[in-house]
Amino acid sequence: MKTIIAACSQNLSGSRASIQTALRTLLAVPWPSQRDVRSALQLLAVLQWVLSFLLLGTASLLLLIYLLFTSLWLVPVLYLAWIIFDWDTPEKGGRRLPCLRRWTVWKHFRDYFPVKLVKTHDLSPRRNYIIGSHPHGILCVGAFCNFITGSTGFEELFPGIRSFLTTLAGNFRLPVFREYLMSGGLCPVTRRAIGYLLSQKGTGNAVAIVIGGAAESLSCRPGVTTLVLKNRKGFVRMALRHGAFLVPSFSFGENDLFRQVVFEEGSWMRSIQRRFQKMMGFAPCLFYGRGLTSGRSRGFLPYSRPITTVVGEPVAVPKVENPSRELVDRYHELYIRALLKLFNENKTKYGLSESDELHIL
């Protein structure tokens, strides 16, 4: 009996020693610093945004199709009925949720790069505006962060102005993804949707359009600033029809977020990209960024490079219901001049050299 008690006492002493050793080891491990925690939160914020834009629509569609063949078939049926009932909402200003635009996650998203918004001139809330957003880049990070989230202070810099951002109309045909887009203030880049925002929702509306679109993303690479703008005049015609002032904006650093394999004009791969763009509305780009675990590895996340979006001086536009081609050309030229002025006055402030030029195709 004494032997058993002694053995138990020895085991208990050994257990206490083991626990104490484990606690000392645990306490000796350095806890993550506030900087490490912030970096992790910023990375997670960017990860959820990239995955949402790349996978949410497709994943939601596949999930609803799967549920049709299960006992939960009523869920996709009811949602389909809702989409049919709600079909025109994206064309009528969408359904923005101010609380989503103020999510804390967008502040971590902003700080990852970081993204900064710079105001050069006031915008009167008594007018409506079309903001040209340049360049497109790969995923339009600057445009999304500044015009959809409240993290960079757009509403504080431009009091009384409500910002919207347009994107491909096909995105609003994807279940669940359409709700996600509308909640932030995204609308289809269609004549009907833009016209509604500029005529049916009063004044103080600023509709941001990434004018270069998919064609411009094919030329996106660091050190090259090429815009597809010379023959893009539909936004000027819309501005004239509704008397909306034209406002140029440029996101310095947008093209530095990813590395892209750029195929030369005339190559067979470039031809495939062009054809796909015409059929689907977007261009298949071969690009890469950083990995999830290390900035030195390759992956699908953008590099943390600073983006500074500068909003320029408005170009006053009269209201002309049926503008002539000559009038459209004149205001298109005025817009290009304002954009070039904005670029040249700010390029050396935000990472470019005096010799860098803006190429407009």
Side-chain angles (χ1 to χ4, degrees):
M1 186 68 179
K2 291 181 179 179
T3 305
I4 295 174
I5 294 174
C8 290
S9 300
Q10 186 175 2
N11 288 337
L12 288 172
S13 299
S15 299
R16 283 195 294 270
S18 299
I19 293 172
Q20 290 173 354
T21 302
L23 287 173
R24 289 194 197 97
T25 304
L26 182 62
L27 293 173
V29 174
W31 289 85
S33 64
Q34 290 186 353
R35 180 179 179 181
D36 293 333
V37 173
R38 284 197 301 268
S39 297
L41 291 174
Q42 292 165 12
L43 189 63
L44 289 174
V46 173
L47 176 63
Q48 67 82 26
W49 179 78
V50 172
L51 291 179
S52 296
F53 267 81
L54 295 181
L55 300 178
L56 180 59
T58 304
S60 300
L61 179 61
L62 293 176
L63 177 61
L64 290 175
I65 293 174
Y66 168 76
L67 291 177
L68 279 173
F69 301 95
T70 69
S71 59
L72 298 175
W73 61 269
L74 189 59
V75 173
V77 169
L78 291 175
Y79 184 71
L80 178 60
W82 161 253
I83 287 182
I84 294 173
F85 173 78
D86 196 54
W87 191 259
D88 288 337
T89 299
E91 302 279 352
K92 296 180 179 179
R95 191 168 39 244
R96 59 193 286 157
L97 298 176
C99 59
L100 185 141
R101 295 167 66 95
R102 294 193 296 267
W103 271 1
T104 303
V105 69
W106 300 132
K107 294 181 180 179
H108 297 305
F109 180 86
R110 171 201 65 195
D111 294 339
Y112 170 84
F113 298 96
V115 182
K116 182 182 178 183
L117 180 64
V118 176
K119 168 185 173 180
T120 61
H121 292 78
D122 291 329
L123 299 181
S124 171
R126 294 192 298 272
R127 294 191 174 276
N128 288 323
Y129 303 89
I130 290 180
I131 300 178
S133 179
H134 310 275
H136 182 285
I138 297 294
L139 294 179
C140 304
V141 172
F144 177 87
C145 192
N146 289 299
F147 303 128
I148 291 302
T149 79
S151 61
T152 57
F154 182 92
E155 294 180 353
E156 289 74 24
L157 288 173
F158 302 100
I161 303 296
R162 296 177 296 276
S163 60
F164 299 84
L165 179 63
T166 57
T167 185
L168 292 174
N171 289 329
F172 295 90
R173 305 298 179 250
L174 295 172
V176 181
F177 190 46
R178 70 191 294 273
E179 322 299 340
Y180 176 76
L181 294 177
M182 285 192 292
S183 64
L186 281 131
C187 296
V189 61
T190 62
R191 184 181 302 175
R192 181 185 177 191
I194 297 171
Y196 185 92
L197 292 172
L198 296 178
S199 62
Q200 301 297 320
K201 294 184 73 68
T203 59
N205 300 299
V207 183
I209 304 175
V210 187
I211 298 168
E216 194 171 279
S217 66
L218 295 177
S219 301
C220 167
R221 60 183 186 269
V224 178
T225 312
T226 302
L227 305 183
V228 177
L229 180 59
K230 191 173 293 185
N231 295 317
R232 301 290 176 99
K233 300 179 181 180
F235 73 102
V236 178
R237 190 176 299 276
M238 287 294 297
L240 285 164
R241 284 177 177 171
H242 298 282
F245 284 18
L246 292 167
V247 183
S249 72
F250 196 93
S251 294
F252 295 90
E254 182 74 45
N255 284 351
D256 298 329
L257 304 182
F258 293 94
R259 301 291 183 267
Q260 181 181 182
V261 179
V262 179
F263 300 100
E264 297 297 328
E265 290 291 345
S267 65
W268 65 275
M269 281 298 297
R270 190 71 160 193
S271 299
I272 292 176
Q273 287 178 315
R274 294 290 189 193
R275 289 178 183 177
F276 193 93
Q277 173 201 331
K278 290 180 180 179
M279 289 188 298
M280 304 299 294
F282 65 93
C285 302
L286 298 179
F287 66 90
Y288 66 88
R290 58 156 292 176
L292 182 60
T293 58
S294 171
R296 298 184 183 90
S297 61
R298 291 188 179 184
F300 58 90
L301 295 178
Y303 292 108
S304 55
R305 304 286 188 268
I307 303 172
T308 304
T309 301
V310 185
V311 180
E313 181 179 3
V315 177
V317 175
K319 185 175 182 179
V320 181
E321 188 170 344
N322 293 303
S324 63
R325 180 180 297 179
E326 292 75 17
L327 190 63
V328 171
D329 289 343
R330 189 171 84 185
Y331 280 94
H332 184 262
E333 180 62 30
L334 289 174
Y335 176 82
I336 291 179
R337 289 180 187 174
L339 177 61
L340 288 171
K341 178 184 177 183
L342 174 70
F343 177 81
N344 291 324
E345 288 181 350
N346 292 277
K347 60 184 179 181
T348 56
K349 299 177 185 177
Y350 305 114
L352 300 181
S353 65
E354 189 64 43
S355 60
D356 284 324
E357 296 182 354
L358 190 61
H359 303 284
I360 297 178
L361 302 178

